[in-house]
Amino acid sequence: MAQSITQYQPKLKSSTHTLSTPTPTTSTPTPFTSVYGPVSSWRFGQSLGIDPIGHHSTCSFRCAYCQLGKIEQVQTTRQVFVSTRHIEQDLQTFAPWDVDVVTLSGSGEPTLALNLGEIITLAKTVTAKPIAVLTNGTLLHDATVRAELAIAHEVAVKLDAIGPVRFQRVNRPAPGMTLEQILQGIQQFRQEYTGRLAIQTMLLSPWSVAEQDTYITFVQHLQPDEIQLNTPTRPKPVQHEMDARGNHAAGDRPYTVHHLKPLSESVLQPMSDRIHRATGIPVRHPKQLLTQ
Ligand code: SF4
């Protein structure tokens, strides 16, 4: 059943930032490399990125804050986007792996890659570094996807809403996708997965007490190893920008961006404390970045 997609209206300030003059309004296409970084992440430290999605940003969501910029292809079916051989060749140049973690993320939703399991296995054979996957959880209802993800040392699952209205507004899912199905998939995965599970929640506006209570009940039952509360600290490109998948730095960018207003520490800290007090689960948020 098709679901209506509501345009979310976060506090956006559109601007063009440049690295040098004159001011360009469009960027030059960047050649595709399936391995990028390392990037410095408040959640993972120095992270080498593997992009199993490729040139065209492809996802089952179109999140209002997506730091890739525009999602060019919205889909829920899996396919091979980048061959495992291509990734293997690109990975070799990064030996001897002076990073904290190797992360599958990139230009969209990594579980849409049909060769996800192959890529994780490959990464584990060429480096002893931990392998993490960032997923939006939309395919966790699929037993094959769960089995492939189970090979990773750490899986971070996005959960930006605990009710259908915020879900539609923030994540803008592909037609037919329901929050209920995603929550069931996450629970199923938790029961099967023996690695480290994190729940990542992006906050664009303060949550009501009732929403926080529903969230607390869910995570209490789920028992993830960690909860990461996030808020937009990077600008959102207007168009899809390959550079955005690995550019975690503050400062100017050679393309047009929207600035989303991050939540303040006075909102994040009490919510973190409340969740931690109620569940005992470690909760982190990007405090340092917001106070810089
Ligand atoms: S799930 Fe990630 S890649 Fe997909 S639209 Fe949301 S932020 Fe972008």
Side-chain angles (χ1 to χ4, degrees):
M1 185 182 67
Q3 296 180 3
S4 65
I5 294 176
T6 312
Q7 284 292 328
Y8 183 62
Q9 300 291 340
K11 290 172 185 161
L12 297 174
K13 266 193 341 197
S14 179
S15 63
T16 302
H17 289 271
T18 62
L19 295 173
S20 58
T21 55
T23 302
T25 52
T26 56
S27 57
T28 311
T30 316
F32 177 72
T33 53
S34 63
V35 181
Y36 59 94
V39 296
S40 190
S41 156
W42 69 270
R43 296 163 296 188
F44 297 108
Q46 286 299 307
S47 164
L48 187 69
I50 296 180
D51 184 351
I53 300 300
H55 251 302
H56 299 288
S57 54
T58 304
C59 192
S60 44
F61 281 172
R62 291 183 307 117
C63 297
Y65 60 84
C66 182
Q67 286 156 347
L68 295 173
K70 191 174 178 214
I71 293 297
E72 296 165 313
Q73 210 158 289
V74 177
Q75 70 180 61
T76 54
T77 51
R78 305 184 76 201
Q79 68 180 79
V80 174
F81 299 93
V82 183
S83 73
T84 311
R85 178 84 187 115
H86 182 156
I87 291 170
E88 184 176 14
Q89 284 170 346
D90 288 350
L91 267 174
Q92 296 307 334
T93 59
F94 287 90
W97 319 104
D98 187 18
V99 294
D100 299 310
V101 64
V102 176
T103 308
L104 272 82
S105 174
S107 299
E109 171 50 36
T111 61
L112 286 172
L114 203 49
N115 51 344
L116 174 74
E118 257 182 36
I119 298 166
I120 299 172
T121 304
L122 163 73
K124 287 177 84 170
T125 58
V126 298
T127 172
K129 298 294 178 185
I131 312 299
V133 183
L134 311 185
T135 174
N136 64 16
T138 52
L139 297 192
L140 287 177
H141 59 87
D142 180 333
T144 305
V145 171
R146 294 198 301 274
E148 291 173 11
L149 279 175
I151 310 169
H153 298 100
E154 173 159 357
V155 175
V157 182
K158 179 186 296 301
L159 182 63
D160 296 339
I162 202 70
V165 174
R166 191 181 289 274
F167 176 57
Q168 289 294 331
R169 282 184 179 165
V170 174
N171 296 130
R172 305 192 296 191
M177 199 157 272
T178 66
L179 179 61
E180 196 181 16
Q181 185 186 48
I182 292 169
L183 295 177
Q184 284 170 1
I186 297 173
Q187 282 166 326
Q188 187 68 42
F189 183 62
R190 170 73 293 181
Q191 285 165 24
E192 299 165 5
Y193 184 51
T194 56
R196 183 176 165 77
L197 178 69
I199 292 292
Q200 292 188 340
T201 299
M202 177 64 87
L203 302 166
L204 301 184
S205 59
W207 283 24
S208 68
V209 171
E211 276 180 296
Q212 290 184 35
D213 286 346
T214 310
Y215 182 89
I216 284 169
T217 304
F218 178 77
V219 293
Q220 219 156 18
H221 181 68
L222 187 72
Q223 286 295 307
D225 296 287
E226 180 177 87
I227 293 169
Q228 299 162 357
L229 297 184
N230 209 350
T231 192
T233 52
R234 288 194 282 157
K236 174 183 164 66
V238 171
Q239 296 302 323
H240 173 227
E241 298 290 347
M242 188 63 73
D243 161 78
R245 68 184 177 170
N247 189 348
H248 289 217
D252 293 346
R253 284 163 167 75
Y255 40 80
T256 308
V257 295
H258 288 309
H259 286 278
L260 284 78
K261 193 172 182 334
L263 291 193
S264 68
E265 180 65 11
S266 64
V267 174
L268 289 171
Q269 188 67 57
M271 185 167 167
S272 294
D273 291 346
R274 190 158 186 266
I275 296 167
H276 178 63
R277 261 199 315 274
T279 64
I281 300 164
V283 182
R284 290 198 294 148
H285 66 270
K287 190 189 256 180
Q288 307 85 340
L289 297 176
L290 296 175
T291 52
Q292 274 174 2

